[in-house]
Amino acid sequence: MRYSFSDRISSLQPSAIREILKVTQLPGVISFSAGNPAPETFPKDELAEISSEIFKNEFAAALQYGISEGFGPLRELMKSRLSGKYGIGREYDDLIIVSGGQQGMDLACKVLLNEGDTLICENPSFIGSLNAFRSYSLNLVGVPVDADGMDMDALESALSAHPETKLIYTIPAFQNPTGAYMSLERRHKILELAQKFDVIILEDSPYFELQYSGEMLPTLKSLDTEGRVIYVGSFSKIVSPGIRVGLACAHRDIISKMTVAKQVSDVHSNLFFQMAIARFFERYDVDAHIAKCRDIYRKKRDAMTDAIGRHFGGLADFTPPSGGLFLWCDLPAGYDAAEFCSLCSRRKVVGVPGSAFLVDEREISGGFRLNFSLPSFGQIEEGITIMGECLKEFIGAGR
Amino acid sequence: MRYSFSDRISSLQPSAIREILKVTQLPGVISFSAGNPAPETFPKDELAEISSEIFKNEFAAALQYGISEGFGPLRELMKSRLSGKYGIGREYDDLIIVSGGQQGMDLACKVLLNEGDTLICENPSFIGSLNAFRSYSLNLVGVPVDADGMDMDALESALSAHPETKLIYTIPAFQNPTGAYMSLERRHKILELAQKFDVIILEDSPYFELQYSGEMLPTLKSLDTEGRVIYVGSFSKIVSPGIRVGLACAHRDIISKMTVAKQVSDVHSNLFFQMAIARFFERYDVDAHIAKCRDIYRKKRDAMTDAIGRHFGGLADFTPPSGGLFLWCDLPAGYDAAEFCSLCSRRKVVGVPGSAFLVDEREISGGFRLNFSLPSFGQIEEGITIMGECLKEFIGAGR
């Protein structure tokens, strides 16, 4: 029989980059296309010990239904850690445990936006969030981003052109895909603009603790004194992504609605691992663990930066990111990164062309994203060497 | 500041029964209000052993990102079990792992229905599903249900009155909240009507293996030869609800869209426990485990049925359910079960008034739902004794 699907899901087309990414499944392929953390950062011995104890002493609670807000002790621990250490969360705020940061974006849209509402985001931005927004049939307006984050003049123009805007979505720290770190000046400016145009800010912050150089800046949430920022955090990059646990911190009125929305989405997040994370934060030196993750990723970033310096022959522009998992390269003006990435994937090295991250995927982008957290040092060296050869061939052919 | 929320979430009002259910948190309260399985049915020793092995041998995969369709070996195991044992799934079907049955309903709506579309369901029905439907701003049309399931004459009238109907939602096996088991005749009839009116059926089947008496009937999915039924199953009642793992089996075109929708909702379900369930089904005699669950629940059902026979003095009508977790009682005509349940909760015994399960919660219901899976035998005896006293007081006062 023939099925008729909803408008919202019909608008989510399989992306053109899927063909490029399919190659990553083949043997011998070096993939810089993932967003995966390195398995060596997973605190597996700690989680193994904690899990065995939970099965022994708390199985009846851990395997039973929980409440949609999340496991109480984990919520309290995270409220206290985020507010004590980073100034995230004020007396009017509350915190909900979600099934990974992705669900934070989904629930925020679900409770705040109607179909056709306008949302402004960085362009390029994280595919998962863009697709979540598309699934709510929103009017997406993209604003350019440079090494200092979202362009504030462009944001102000976009807000003036779309005064009906409900939400600004931003990844201020080590933006996916560009790696940009929003400057302090712009952090103040975005809050000022959000206030002026009475818009909510959705701050996606999965990487902010993975900073490898430079000064750590306050989050938007910690600068916000009005309850205008919804902060979404994740345990995916400091504990494990496979367990699907994240959090959202916002004014209690918003969290209360997100709780209702979560109840009808998946009732609650995996309770066993909510308990395991709580025990992990209670018993272990999590800051030391995060410092260890940072050391691993800093070395990988340096390895990729160094290899690019040696093999790209100055044919692509890039700024070494000061944190996160991604490095962004720009081809010279006029070149299409989708074509370049196709060429590389035929040589079994996979990067993601920038068009995949655009609000309008049909636009051409001269940028491409490379992930340095998952590949080994050997793969980084070999993959960048091959990419460098492709680059010379590609740019040479085009001129 | 003041927030403006989406229409869809504004329509989800906190239910009036919350006040009654709040009592369940207090010490000394006997709750028949939950939908929780008994912790003694959790296969905790098996899961503990399997988990410890996963941490030892497969942690890098189990803690890493997975694919939205779900863990491959679990999908294959469930396809083969469901089709081999129950005739669920044909060559054109596919199967996706979801974050509990609740997400199955959510994703089915997300991919099939636009705002304002009509959905027909049993009335009363499962609150979680009703609220999921409300969150998509659907037009809900309720059809009465008796001990043999949804009333087919009423369904035909509803379909004739609403020929634009897109979906029929039903829980054929041990319906929540009524415990009804849809007769074979009606199973054939609902498929016939769905074909006649070209409507998709969403079959919610969390309890079908928990049958305590009578003959096991084929699921709607196994009777469907057209790809008209979306089957949603759950591991919540035979393994654990806290781990949030379920499945949906439907035509591959539908599963493919649900996969896209799941990707933007929570990327994938907890991978660690998807692997753990797969190992559990591979290594252990799951049918023997389910038989053990059935034995536990049959005894509890019998204990509650017996206690009601001794303590209710024939003042409330009920049919002992042949499976599932719930028993439904009807007060004599003209009595409001919400008032009765309030009286009981003041005596620290909690049942759920039928109005909570109605498409229009403002309607009065003379029925109430009692859960027998979670309370102990002692709690069942004591709670039903008190309820019987309340019943005599309540009915006596009203006449």
Side-chain angles (χ1 to χ4, degrees):
Chain A
M1 58 182 286
R2 285 186 56 114
Y3 306 100
S4 118
F5 294 102
S6 63
D7 299 336
R8 71 176 78 81
I9 208 71
S10 301
S11 72
L12 272 185
Q13 293 304 325
S15 162
I17 63 147
R18 290 209 176 194
E19 291 305 310
I20 293 174
L21 297 183
K22 267 185 188 165
V23 177
T24 60
Q25 308 299 322
L26 302 176
V29 164
I30 296 174
S31 174
F32 300 139
S33 66
N36 295 24
E40 59 265 35
T41 63
F42 301 156
K44 67 132 177 160
D45 293 331
E46 296 86 338
L47 290 179
E49 188 188 299
I50 290 166
S51 295
S52 142
E53 281 182 34
I54 292 176
F55 275 117
K56 209 170 291 165
N57 307 321
E58 302 183 274
F59 83 93
L63 298 177
Q64 189 56 279
Y65 280 115
I67 57 171
S68 300
E69 291 87 339
F71 181 56
L74 179 60
R75 292 173 67 213
E76 290 313 313
L77 272 165
M78 294 317 299
K79 278 184 199 175
S80 130
R81 175 181 167 87
L82 288 177
S83 106
K85 207 171 160 69
Y86 303 113
I88 295 168
R90 296 174 191 256
E91 68 292 338
Y92 52 70
D93 284 318
D94 199 358
L95 185 147
I96 184 176
I97 301 297
V98 291
S99 302
Q102 181 74 35
Q103 195 184 45
M105 309 317 146
D106 181 68
L107 296 179
C109 290
K110 193 158 191 164
V111 307
L112 288 169
L113 303 175
N114 289 319
E115 292 188 1
D117 277 351
T118 297
L119 181 152
I120 296 180
C121 61
E122 285 134 357
N123 196 24
S125 186
F126 170 48
I127 309 181
S129 294
L130 292 179
N131 281 335
F133 304 150
R134 289 176 183 129
S135 81
Y136 285 97
S137 306
L138 304 179
N139 174 36
L140 295 188
V141 176
V143 162
V145 53
D146 61 28
D148 287 332
M150 195 186 269
D151 179 327
M152 289 300 136
D153 292 335
L155 173 62
E156 186 156 18
S157 303
L159 285 165
S160 302
H162 302 277
E164 76 289 359
T165 299
K166 291 273 182 68
L167 205 69
I168 302 171
Y169 170 73
T170 177
I171 310 169
F174 323 119
Q175 201 244 2
N176 181 358
T178 63
Y181 195 57
M182 192 184 281
S183 67
L184 186 59
E185 194 194 332
R186 293 197 191 175
R187 286 172 194 246
H188 285 293
K189 185 71 184 177
I190 194 173
L191 285 162
E192 186 195 311
L193 290 173
Q195 183 171 21
K196 179 174 166 193
F197 290 89
D198 195 17
V199 179
I200 304 276
I201 295 176
L202 179 56
E203 178 177 27
D204 188 4
S205 186
Y207 320 112
F208 85 115
E209 285 173 310
L210 296 179
Q211 179 158 17
Y212 319 129
S213 48
E215 188 200 353
M216 190 177 210
L217 298 177
T219 63
L220 300 181
K221 181 71 185 158
S222 57
L223 294 173
D224 162 42
T225 54
E226 295 182 283
R228 192 173 286 288
V229 176
I230 302 174
Y231 178 88
V232 175
S234 174
F235 297 98
S236 292
K237 275 79 193 184
I238 55 169
V239 180
S240 148
I243 59 176
R244 309 306 306 132
V245 186
L247 58 86
C249 175
H251 191 282
R252 69 173 85 88
D253 293 352
I254 296 177
I255 295 297
S256 150
K257 294 286 183 187
M258 287 175 76
T259 304
V260 172
K262 180 166 173 63
Q263 193 153 28
V264 302
S265 291
D266 64 358
V267 189
H268 61 81
S269 301
N270 185 286
L271 184 52
F272 188 97
F273 275 101
Q274 289 189 65
M275 290 175 70
I277 295 175
R279 304 295 172 247
F280 178 57
F281 274 79
E282 273 165 10
R283 289 199 212 156
Y284 291 89
D285 183 346
V286 172
D287 291 318
H289 167 73
I290 294 173
K292 202 189 82 177
C293 299
R294 268 198 294 265
D295 286 343
I296 291 170
Y297 290 138
R298 184 186 293 111
K299 286 188 189 118
K300 289 195 168 186
R301 177 203 61 171
D302 291 347
M304 188 172 272
T305 306
D306 179 65
I308 288 177
R310 285 180 286 109
H311 297 295
F312 277 17
L315 293 173
D317 249 13
F318 80 105
T319 309
S322 54
L325 310 182
F326 304 110
L327 188 151
W328 179 263
C329 292
D330 277 307
L331 297 173
Y335 286 93
D336 180 355
E339 284 177 27
F340 173 66
C341 289
S342 288
L343 174 65
C344 295
S345 82
R346 287 195 293 275
R347 295 280 308 272
K348 295 193 168 182
V349 180
V350 187
V352 186
S355 54
F357 307 100
L358 293 178
V359 166
D360 182 353
E361 293 173 292
R362 294 161 306 181
E363 275 181 34
I364 285 169
S365 165
F368 57 97
R369 188 191 78 174
L370 301 178
N371 164 267
F372 55 81
S373 57
L374 191 61
S376 66
F377 289 97
Q379 288 174 318
I380 290 175
E381 181 62 27
E382 190 187 340
I384 295 297
T385 306
I386 295 170
M387 276 206 151
E389 292 165 14
C390 293
L391 196 54
K392 281 159 204 162
E393 183 189 328
F394 186 71
I395 305 287
R399 282 207 169 136
Chain B
M1 55 182 289
R2 285 187 58 114
Y3 305 100
S4 120
F5 293 103
S6 62
D7 299 336
R8 71 177 77 83
I9 209 71
S10 301
S11 72
L12 273 184
Q13 293 304 324
S15 162
I17 65 149
R18 291 211 174 191
E19 290 307 309
I20 294 175
L21 297 183
K22 266 184 189 166
V23 176
T24 60
Q25 307 299 324
L26 301 176
V29 165
I30 295 175
S31 173
F32 300 138
S33 65
N36 295 22
E40 58 266 35
T41 64
F42 301 155
K44 68 132 178 157
D45 293 333
E46 296 87 337
L47 290 179
E49 188 188 299
I50 290 166
S51 294
S52 142
E53 282 181 34
I54 292 177
F55 276 117
K56 209 170 290 164
N57 307 321
E58 303 183 274
F59 82 93
L63 299 176
Q64 189 57 277
Y65 280 115
I67 58 172
S68 299
E69 291 87 339
F71 182 55
L74 180 61
R75 292 173 66 212
E76 291 313 313
L77 272 164
M78 294 317 298
K79 278 185 200 175
S80 130
R81 175 181 168 88
L82 288 176
S83 107
K85 206 171 162 68
Y86 303 113
I88 295 168
R90 295 175 192 256
E91 68 292 338
Y92 52 69
D93 283 320
D94 199 359
L95 187 148
I96 183 176
I97 301 298
V98 292
S99 302
Q102 181 74 36
Q103 195 184 45
M105 310 317 147
D106 181 67
L107 296 179
C109 290
K110 193 157 191 167
V111 307
L112 289 169
L113 304 174
N114 289 318
E115 292 188 1
D117 277 351
T118 297
L119 180 151
I120 296 181
C121 60
E122 285 133 357
N123 194 26
S125 186
F126 170 48
I127 310 180
S129 294
L130 292 178
N131 281 336
F133 304 150
R134 290 176 183 129
S135 81
Y136 285 98
S137 305
L138 303 179
N139 173 36
L140 294 188
V141 176
V143 163
V145 55
D146 62 28
D148 287 334
M150 195 187 269
D151 180 326
M152 288 300 136
D153 292 336
L155 174 61
E156 187 156 16
S157 304
L159 285 165
S160 302
H162 300 278
E164 77 289 0
T165 300
K166 291 274 182 68
L167 204 70
I168 302 171
Y169 170 73
T170 177
I171 310 169
F174 323 119
Q175 202 244 2
N176 181 359
T178 63
Y181 196 55
M182 192 185 281
S183 68
L184 186 58
E185 195 193 332
R186 292 197 191 174
R187 286 172 196 245
H188 285 293
K189 186 70 183 176
I190 195 173
L191 285 162
E192 186 194 313
L193 289 173
Q195 185 171 20
K196 180 174 165 192
F197 289 90
D198 196 17
V199 178
I200 304 275
I201 296 177
L202 179 57
E203 179 178 24
D204 188 5
S205 187
Y207 319 112
F208 86 115
E209 285 173 312
L210 297 179
Q211 179 159 16
Y212 318 130
S213 47
E215 189 200 352
M216 190 177 210
L217 298 177
T219 63
L220 301 180
K221 181 71 186 160
S222 56
L223 295 173
D224 163 41
T225 55
E226 295 182 284
R228 194 173 285 289
V229 176
I230 301 174
Y231 177 89
V232 176
S234 175
F235 297 99
S236 291
K237 276 78 194 185
I238 55 169
V239 180
S240 148
I243 60 176
R244 308 308 305 131
V245 186
L247 58 85
C249 175
H251 191 284
R252 70 173 85 88
D253 292 352
I254 296 178
I255 295 298
S256 147
K257 293 287 184 187
M258 287 175 77
T259 305
V260 172
K262 180 165 174 62
Q263 192 153 31
V264 302
S265 290
D266 65 358
V267 189
H268 62 81
S269 300
N270 184 286
L271 183 53
F272 189 97
F273 275 101
Q274 290 190 64
M275 290 176 69
I277 295 175
R279 304 294 172 247
F280 178 57
F281 274 77
E282 273 166 12
R283 289 198 211 160
Y284 291 90
D285 183 346
V286 172
D287 292 317
H289 167 73
I290 294 172
K292 203 189 82 179
C293 299
R294 268 198 295 264
D295 288 343
I296 292 169
Y297 290 138
R298 184 187 292 109
K299 287 189 189 119
K300 289 194 167 186
R301 177 203 61 170
D302 292 346
M304 188 172 272
T305 305
D306 180 67
I308 288 177
R310 284 182 284 110
H311 298 296
F312 276 17
L315 292 173
D317 249 12
F318 80 105
T319 309
S322 53
L325 309 182
F326 304 109
L327 189 151
W328 179 263
C329 292
D330 276 307
L331 296 173
Y335 287 94
D336 180 354
E339 284 176 26
F340 173 65
C341 289
S342 288
L343 174 63
C344 294
S345 81
R346 288 194 293 275
R347 295 281 306 274
K348 294 194 170 181
V349 180
V350 187
V352 186
S355 54
F357 306 100
L358 294 178
V359 166
D360 181 353
E361 294 173 291
R362 292 159 307 181
E363 276 181 34
I364 285 169
S365 166
F368 56 96
R369 189 191 76 174
L370 302 178
N371 165 268
F372 55 81
S373 57
L374 191 62
S376 67
F377 290 96
Q379 288 175 319
I380 289 175
E381 181 60 29
E382 190 187 342
I384 295 298
T385 307
I386 295 170
M387 275 205 152
E389 291 165 14
C390 293
L391 197 53
K392 282 159 205 162
E393 182 187 330
F394 187 71
I395 304 289
R399 283 207 167 137

